[in-house]
Amino acid sequence: MDMNRMLIKQGRVIDPGSGIDKICDILLENNIILEVSDHIELEGMSDGKEINAKGLIVSPGFVDLHAHLREPGFEHKETIQTGTMAAVKGGFTSVCAMPNTSPAIDTPSMIEFVKMKSATEGVCRVYPIGAVTKGRKGTSIVDFLELYEAGAVAFSDDGDPVYDSEIMRLSLEYVGPLDVPIMNHCQDLTISPNGVMAEGEVSDFLGLKGIPNSVEEIMVARDIALAKATGSKVHISHVSSAGSVELLALAKEQGLNVTSEVCPHHLTLTDENVLTDGNYYAATPDSAYDTNSKMYPPLRTHSDIESLIQGIESGIIDCIATDHAPHDVVSKHTTFDDAAFGISVFETAVGSLMGLVQQKKISLNRLIQTMTYNPCKILGQNFKDFGTLRKGSVADLVLIDPDATWIVDTEKFVSKGKNTPLQGATLTGRVVCTIVNGNVVFDELGWTKGEVN
């Protein structure tokens, strides 16, 4: 849907970056935000389109710091085309693609490949994250400046940690002048190397090898120490434990250059979801071992969830990122020990997170801030015109119906990944329209066909 002007009328506009939360109008023109005001008319604008957003939430488009688009190398799991289609269905207008592809995104040519594919086949913006080490093998660092100049917006070996502390220190020294983060998957590989779910009563009951919280917390502490030593940007990916929140709080108190993210599933699901019906006491072999609940970091306990929620609401945790990790059926339709780690998230993120708002555990403004303004702030100066609706910023927006109740049906997913434990769950809150660069790229209500005005 390409048009020069678009007027979005009387939605609840929430833009934490500009301090706006009110019912008002937004005028888009030439792919930028032209005006946000209590009342705007399209008089004399014959080529304009007017959208009635009454009863809807209007926010900046979501920016996902952490997603796996799988291309190149794993196109049977996801492609840049299908991944971005799923992203915009979930309200994400910008997606940072992790480098655990085959080959890894560790050279300028691989950065260019991702940029080219996203430009020709992507539905939203895709920003490549470069690997920290060559081949993500953890032994030899990449040419950070070369990858940055090619278009890498951050660096990570995600899927694996930057395990060697000297490699991590050197990487931070090199990346520091570029003012971009190293995003680390915090996992001490020497502790419980064969673990498949969180260590606790459920893992004991099911006879599965557990992963203790200390696996994450030891490396979070190390990375905070290295951030303090180097002054460079460290971003802790997919925080999952209460102890990590405590460590991040100390880093914030000291004013260190440390940020972090948490995923929707770690805020809403527990290790009990490995029991298919979620009922610990009524579990049987037929109602357990849900491989769609196998992910890394693993789903943890109710007390961990409460700490993570408090971390988001207090600002200790900066962002919510999806860690969208689609898999083919074969990778999940196997024993729990052999199943792949990962969950498909783009299309369920808003529905699951709005439940926390309805339960008054997270404020709506804070939720939107963690998915719009804050990710752009972490990524730096090149993202100053994203994640906000201020005049002159890029026209990336999402419209949400907060009252829409729907049932998760993976057969309707546009992502190739159908791997989610939310299959059949009833959620409230749904994206109905996504606008990228002034163009409607997802339309639930028929506005592009002129059916709603």
Side-chain angles (χ1 to χ4, degrees):
M1 177 181 177
D2 297 308
M3 54 184 57
N4 196 37
R5 297 181 183 88
M6 184 186 305
L7 179 60
I8 302 172
K9 294 284 291 182
Q10 294 301 290
R12 180 184 173 186
V13 177
I14 301 179
D15 177 18
S18 300
I20 296 174
D21 182 357
K22 63 179 181 178
I23 306 295
C24 62
D25 300 345
I26 302 177
L27 179 62
L28 319 181
E29 186 174 30
N30 295 326
N31 306 330
I32 64 169
I33 305 293
L34 186 65
E35 185 179 358
V36 179
S37 182
D38 290 343
H39 187 71
I40 305 171
E41 291 294 339
L42 271 178
E43 295 177 4
M45 300 183 185
S46 59
D47 60 342
K49 175 76 173 180
E50 185 173 307
I51 293 176
N52 179 7
K54 187 175 182 180
L56 303 179
I57 296 165
V58 184
S59 90
F62 301 145
V63 178
D64 191 358
L65 284 177
H66 186 152
H68 301 271
L69 299 182
R70 303 301 192 199
E71 191 174 8
F74 303 103
E75 288 85 355
H76 60 294
K77 297 176 183 282
E78 191 79 286
T79 64
I80 287 173
Q81 181 180 46
T82 60
T84 55
M85 288 172 62
V88 298
K89 188 177 177 183
F92 296 92
T93 55
S94 295
V95 173
C96 297
M98 282 294 174
N100 59 333
T101 52
S102 181
I105 304 174
D106 60 357
T107 63
S109 62
M110 289 306 303
I111 296 287
E112 290 296 335
F113 172 84
V114 173
K115 290 167 61 179
M116 177 195 69
K117 291 289 283 189
S118 61
T120 56
E121 299 179 14
V123 189
C124 67
R125 294 182 179 83
V126 176
Y127 296 98
I129 293 177
V132 175
T133 63
K134 294 177 182 178
R136 297 176 48 256
K137 295 179 179 179
T139 56
S140 179
I141 61 176
V142 300
D143 188 323
F144 293 107
L145 179 59
E146 195 175 50
L147 266 63
Y148 173 76
E149 290 180 339
V153 298
F155 297 93
S156 178
D157 274 357
D158 189 71
D160 294 295
V162 181
Y163 183 73
D164 187 294
S165 297
E166 178 65 0
I167 291 286
M168 184 65 169
R169 184 188 69 83
L170 286 172
S171 299
L172 288 168
E173 294 281 9
Y174 278 108
V175 168
L178 304 179
D179 195 35
V180 297
I182 288 184
M183 306 168 68
N184 199 23
H185 170 131
C186 288
Q187 175 186 7
D188 188 322
L189 298 173
T190 64
I191 301 176
S192 191
N194 298 315
V196 293
M197 69 169 294
E199 184 178 85
E201 290 185 3
V202 178
S203 66
D204 290 344
F205 175 73
L206 295 175
L208 295 172
K209 179 71 172 177
I211 303 171
N213 290 14
S214 56
V215 168
E216 175 176 298
E217 294 159 6
I218 287 170
M219 193 163 282
V220 170
R222 184 207 70 172
D223 286 354
I224 289 172
L226 291 175
K228 184 174 183 179
T230 63
S232 300
K233 283 185 174 181
V234 168
H235 181 80
I236 308 299
S237 296
H238 43 50
V239 175
S240 71
S241 81
S244 293
V245 178
E246 293 174 3
L247 291 166
L248 290 165
L250 292 173
K252 291 286 189 185
E253 288 175 10
Q254 296 179 51
L256 302 181
N257 211 350
V258 177
T259 56
S260 61
E261 70 192 38
V262 64
C263 304
H265 37 287
H266 289 123
L267 292 169
T268 56
L269 304 174
T270 73
D271 56 350
E272 293 177 7
N273 284 90
V274 176
L275 308 170
T276 307
D277 59 7
N279 189 334
Y280 176 82
Y281 296 101
T284 68
D286 291 333
S287 66
Y289 304 100
D290 180 12
T291 58
N292 285 321
S293 295
K294 182 181 179 182
M295 58 204 69
Y296 206 94
L299 298 175
R300 299 197 184 276
T301 66
H302 290 281
S303 60
D304 288 304
I305 280 184
E306 291 305 314
S307 292
L308 294 168
I309 290 172
Q310 291 170 16
I312 278 288
E313 189 61 24
S314 66
I316 293 170
I317 298 175
D318 304 88
C319 303
I320 295 175
T322 66
D323 193 11
H324 176 72
H327 286 292
D328 57 295
V329 173
V330 173
S331 295
K332 285 291 190 178
H333 194 64
T334 182
T335 67
F336 200 90
D337 283 334
D338 293 330
F341 290 97
I343 178 176
S344 185
V345 186
F346 281 148
E347 295 168 73
T348 60
V350 167
S352 59
L353 292 168
M354 286 296 289
L356 298 174
V357 174
Q358 292 145 11
Q359 297 166 34
K360 301 189 183 304
K361 292 184 176 182
I362 294 177
S363 70
L364 182 56
N365 272 264
R366 179 63 187 164
L367 176 64
I368 291 175
Q369 182 180 347
T370 62
M371 299 176 73
T372 57
Y373 179 76
N374 285 3
C376 293
K377 187 176 179 182
I378 289 169
L379 291 170
Q381 184 67 16
N382 291 335
F383 289 79
K384 63 182 177 61
D385 292 328
F386 297 90
T388 180
L389 299 177
R390 69 172 179 272
K391 183 177 180 179
S393 61
V394 176
D396 288 359
L397 300 92
V398 59
L399 280 67
I400 302 165
D401 184 342
D403 301 317
T405 299
W406 57 287
I407 297 173
V408 177
D409 181 358
T410 56
E411 292 302 312
K412 296 180 180 178
F413 278 14
V414 293
S415 169
K416 288 188 176 183
K418 316 302 180 185
N419 47 303
T420 174
L422 295 176
Q423 167 67 14
T426 300
L427 304 178
T428 301
R430 190 167 190 169
V431 172
V432 294
C433 182
T434 304
I435 299 169
V436 176
N437 206 34
N439 300 317
V440 173
V441 293
F442 173 71
D443 171 24
E444 184 85 350
L445 298 181
W447 289 327
T448 55
K449 300 175 183 177
E451 296 169 7
V452 176
N453 186 31

